[in-house]
């Protein structure tokens, strides 16, 4: 995991993520399942020019989904990172 563009996949733009960003200055990202907290911290600091104080990760399990009338499938597992910023700000909604 040396390439920072492979560590961070996308931001999680949900109601919970927006609330955390406004109140506690936390940002939520979908990250690679093999990435550790140190790699996530370095990737966010280099990409967005902010200072990260804390990184918390959570492994999210895949959900069961119906595929057709008779069979059921499952979505893939993924990893979520809650990043607490000490300095700087990341605005995803301004860029949309």
């Amino acid at each position: 995991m040396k390439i920072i563009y492979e560590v961070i996949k996308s931001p999680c733009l949900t109601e919970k993520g927006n609330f955390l960003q406004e109140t506690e200055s936390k940002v939520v990202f979908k990250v690679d399942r093999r990435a550790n907290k140190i790699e996530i911290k370095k990737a966010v600091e280099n990409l967005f020019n902010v200072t990260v104080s804390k990184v918390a990760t959570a492994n999210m399990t895949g959900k069961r989904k119906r595929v057709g009338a008779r069979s059921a499938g499952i979505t893939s597992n993924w990893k979520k990172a809650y990043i607490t910023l000490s300095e700087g700000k990341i605005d995803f909604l301004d860029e949309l």
Side-chain angles (χ1 to χ4, degrees):
M1 281 288 133
K2 299 294 183 187
I3 301 172
I4 59 175
Y5 296 107
E6 292 179 1
V7 174
I8 297 175
K9 292 186 176 181
S10 65
C12 288
L13 300 176
T14 59
E15 290 182 21
K16 181 180 179 181
N18 290 337
F19 180 74
L20 287 174
Q21 187 173 5
E22 292 172 358
T23 58
E24 301 177 13
S25 70
K26 289 186 180 182
V27 184
V28 184
F29 287 104
K30 290 182 182 179
V31 295
D32 192 344
R33 291 191 63 207
R34 297 169 291 172
N36 58 24
K37 293 180 181 182
I38 298 168
E39 293 171 344
I40 295 169
K41 180 179 178 178
K42 288 180 183 177
V44 171
E45 287 179 344
N46 290 336
L47 281 176
F48 299 105
N49 297 323
V50 294
T51 305
V52 175
S53 64
K54 183 180 175 182
V55 176
T57 59
N59 288 317
M60 309 302 290
T61 57
K63 297 181 181 178
R64 293 184 183 267
K65 298 287 184 176
R66 297 289 300 174
V67 181
R70 296 182 181 169
S71 61
I74 191 167
T75 59
S76 59
N77 300 334
W78 55 285
K79 192 175 202 177
K80 185 190 294 189
Y82 295 96
I83 298 165
T84 305
L85 302 176
S86 60
E87 291 182 10
K89 187 176 180 182
I90 301 173
D91 281 330
F92 299 112
L93 299 178
D94 292 340
E95 297 177 5
L96 295 176

